[in-house]
Amino acid sequence: MSSLPGVSDTFDPQRWREIQSEDDPLVDTTYHRLISRGAADGVPAGVDLPVVRIAIDRPEIRNGFDPRTVDELYRCIDDARSTPDVAAIILTGNGPSPKDGGYAFSSGGDQRSRGTDGYQYLADQTPYGERGADPAGMTEQRRSRIDRGRRARMHILEVQRLMRSTPKPIIAAIPGWTTGGGHSLMVVCDLAVASAEHAVFKQVDANVSSFDAGYGAGLLARQVGDKRARQIFFLAEPYTPQEAEAWGVINKVVPHAELEDTAIDWGLTVATKSPQSIRMLKYAFNMIDDGIAGQQAFAGEATRLAYMTEEAQEGRDAFLQHRAPDWSKYPYYF
Ligand SMILES: CC(C)(COP(=O)(O)OP(=O)(O)OC[C@H]1O[C@@H](n2cnc3c(N)ncnc32)[C@H](O)[C@@H]1OP(=O)(O)O)[C@@H](O)C(=O)NCCC(=O)NCCSC(=O)CCC(=O)c1ccccc1C(=O)O
């Protein structure tokens, strides 16, 4: 775990305030809100800016994630998703490792926590959802079944779905190794910038008998083309940030020292755009690959837009006033 406030060598503590929960403190991740430096940001120093930074904070194991890490990622992304003045989210990995100086975005599932039916919480970790679900009088058989289901998880996939349905761009800032489930998280991010000196990509799933056959493989193929995606998975060879950029896996390679500033600049640039346009565009980009779930997300926002029209308000008012709606003012646009 990194010692705050210098959580990473590309992290500028002057630009961030920590978001922490006293009741349920984050252990495996860090969560920060961008704040103004004053004149350089055009608003008084210390004022919140519309970008957050979420980082896996397990540099000793190349930011591999276990079930608790996954719970925390979910909590942080959900908080950022539902904070109305946050426009963009940076997802990264803290580092370098205090053990050997290695950098990582994420090495994927913590293989030490992998059991026979999923990834296991350690004995001292409280599985998310444990609270309030322990009815008295439970039989031993039922308790054992529930415990087993709670303790063996595959829920990084829930994080992927949350990232996908979050109507705000998620920017991967990639300081180093990006492998396995970490590679898949990067694929699900909307934009990605990587360190020229330290980023290395390698899709190792098949080396350890795992396979992200969802977004990790399917969306990657959409991004880089079918043959290249097969190469990345079947050969599991390391590839460079320059190759990642050329193949379309990431958007840009920058000097390591500029990694987080570039991600911040992109986040702040997104924040200058129309929130409605960004929301509709993200869902539009997702829709073809997400099937009816993608259509539902886009359609929900279309419904919100429709609710803003006088025509929709006439429908609501007519119902509440026990009268027939009067559509006569509204043309059949074509
Ligand atoms: C990432 C490496 C290529 C980096 O290599 P290197 O720089 O030489 O460092 P190392 O000396 O190997 O590593 C340093 C240190 O970290 C430990 N470590 C690294 N990665 C992990 C990890 N994933 N789990 C546990 N420990 C890890 C390593 O053992 C060293 O420890 P020491 O004590 O110092 O020896 C290289 O490290 C590497 O290849 N790592 C393993 C990558 C890997 O196998 N990842 C798992 C792939 S499978 C996966 O991610 C599936 C999870 C998932 O997303 C998923 C998919 C589908 C359904 C559900 C799920 C889910 O819910 O999880």
Side-chain angles (χ1 to χ4, degrees), residues 58-66 70 97 99-100 102-104 106-114 118-119 153-158 160 177-185 200 202-213:
R58 308 181 83 204
E60 304 86 352
I61 61 154
R62 304 286 185 261
N63 291 318
F65 44 78
D66 73 9
V70 174
S97 165
K99 274 170 79 180
D100 61 8
Y103 290 89
S106 172
S107 61
D110 180 341
Q111 295 305 288
R112 299 168 307 181
S113 67
R114 181 169 156 187
Y119 287 80
R153 305 298 312 281
M154 303 289 279
H155 60 318
I156 193 66
L157 302 177
E158 291 169 27
Q160 292 183 4
W177 275 105
T178 302
T179 70
H183 193 280
S184 298
L185 282 182
V200 193
K202 185 178 174 186
Q203 186 33 288
V204 297
D205 272 9
N207 291 349
V208 291
S209 198
S210 183
F211 46 95
D212 187 335

Side-chain angles (χ1 to χ4, degrees), residues 71-93:
D71 285 343
E72 291 185 8
L73 282 174
Y74 194 97
R75 267 171 61 196
C76 294
I77 295 169
D78 194 40
D79 186 80
R81 178 189 69 86
S82 54
T83 302
D85 62 353
V86 167
I89 299 166
I90 297 171
L91 184 64
T92 189

